[in-house]
């Protein structure tokens, strides 16, 4: 009976670290699904080798050591993810073509609840959200794997240099050197500033409300007024991306006009506002079309990234599989 109790207690202790480990692995890998696989591998390895855990460090530190090794192995296999804006130049709308690339190419969105810890300090919460923004995760992809681990552990998770050195079996001097090189590289590809988004202030909420009204009403004059002049639109798995409100609206009035009469359901992703985008269905109601991640700055929308593989994203974000004719969640049709 005591062995069963001990096993159950160990399960609880390991599971208690799942969310923060998922956040760490997501920052390392840029994929929500690979992060979950890495964490599951980490917990299985920990369970199998618990007898080797000597207690010289905390269980948490030991788990991070295992998780780091799992991620480094995955990254050494060549995994590196990006956004469309990281791979090609912006395309003028008149020349726009939809060219798909494999799923492993793309940086993936992630639900906040799977990677962000519950913290009371607003400053800590803001830092955590900033550290999972798509632009920040994309910038991390420019770093070699070990530099990436050092920067995340030191700058995001606030580990001491000595703790990171012990985790990576290296010296404090090596950790400090890796951190300096990582900071330098990151400065060359620094993500654009965006407005903090949790909780939304009154003006941000009004902006999003106006965005929903303009998009659902397909009011391109109103939408143009809400977009920064150099706003971007991208649509993974296509490598096409557009820059500027004129080209974005040109797309919406051309190929993108299939989005007329859509509905948007609010959610959050990567520390920023997001919408589940539903498309009118021939049989009535609305079916999934995209997960739309929104970034704002200076009171306007600065970026829209619409992830189109809804078979992957809607279940991950626990989004309804269908909306009824009034735009409310509805059961999917039988069969």
């Amino acid at each position: 009976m005591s062995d069963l109790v001990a096993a159950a207690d160990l399960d609880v202790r390991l599971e208690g670290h799942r969310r923060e480990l998922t956040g760490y692995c997501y920052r390392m890998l840029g994929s929500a699904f690979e992060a979950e696989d890495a964490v599951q591998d980490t917990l299985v390895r920990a369970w199998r080798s618990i007898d080797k855990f000597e207690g010289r460090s905390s269980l948490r530190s030991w788990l991070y050591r295992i998780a780091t090794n799992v991620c480094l192995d995955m990254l050494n296999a060549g995994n590196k993810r990006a956004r469309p804006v990281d791979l090609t130049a912006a395309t003028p709308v008149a020349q726009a073509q939809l060219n798909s690339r494999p799923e492993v190419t793309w940086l993936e969105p992630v639900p906040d609840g799977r990677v962000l810890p519950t913290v009371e300090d607003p400053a800590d919460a803001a830092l955590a959200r900033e550290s999972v923004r798509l632009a920040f995760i994309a910038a991390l992809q420019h770093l070699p794997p070990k530099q990436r681990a050092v920067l995340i552990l030191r700058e995001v998770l606030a580990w001491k240099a000595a703790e990171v050195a012990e985790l990576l079996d290296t010296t404090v001097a090596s950790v400090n050197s890796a951190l300096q090189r990582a900071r330098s590289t990151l400065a060359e590809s620094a993500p654009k500033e965006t407005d903090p988004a949790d909780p939304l202030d009154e003006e941000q909420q009004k902006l999003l409300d106006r965005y929903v009204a303009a998009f659902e009403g397909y009011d391109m004059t109103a939408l143009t007024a809400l977009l920064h002049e150099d706003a971007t639109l991208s649509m993974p798995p296509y490598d096409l991306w557009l820059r500027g409100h004129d080209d974005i609206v040109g797309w919406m009035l051309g190929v993108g006009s299939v989005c007329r009469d859509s509905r948007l359901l609010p959610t959050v992703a990567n520390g920023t506002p997001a919408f589940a985008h539903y498309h009118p269905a021939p049989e009535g109601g609305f079916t999934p079309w995209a997960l739309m991640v929104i970034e704002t700055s200076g009171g306007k929308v600065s970026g829209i990234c619409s992830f189109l593989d809804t078979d992957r994203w809607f279940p991950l974000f626990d989004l309804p599989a269908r909306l009824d004719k009034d735009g409310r969640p509805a059961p999917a049709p039988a069969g």
Side-chain angles (χ1 to χ4, degrees), residues 116-140:
L116 293 182
T118 301
V119 294
E120 295 183 2
D121 188 325
D124 290 342
L127 175 62
R129 289 192 300 274
E130 183 69 18
S131 73
V132 294
R133 275 183 52 215
L134 286 172
F136 181 74
I137 302 298
L140 289 176

Side-chain angles (χ1 to χ4, degrees), residues 16 41-42 76 130 146 155 159 178 186 236 260 268 279 286 303:
D41 192 2
T42 296
N76 287 337
E130 183 69 18
K146 284 195 175 180
E155 302 275 90
W159 285 42
L186 212 59
R260 284 184 185 275
V268 289
H279 194 264
F286 302 85

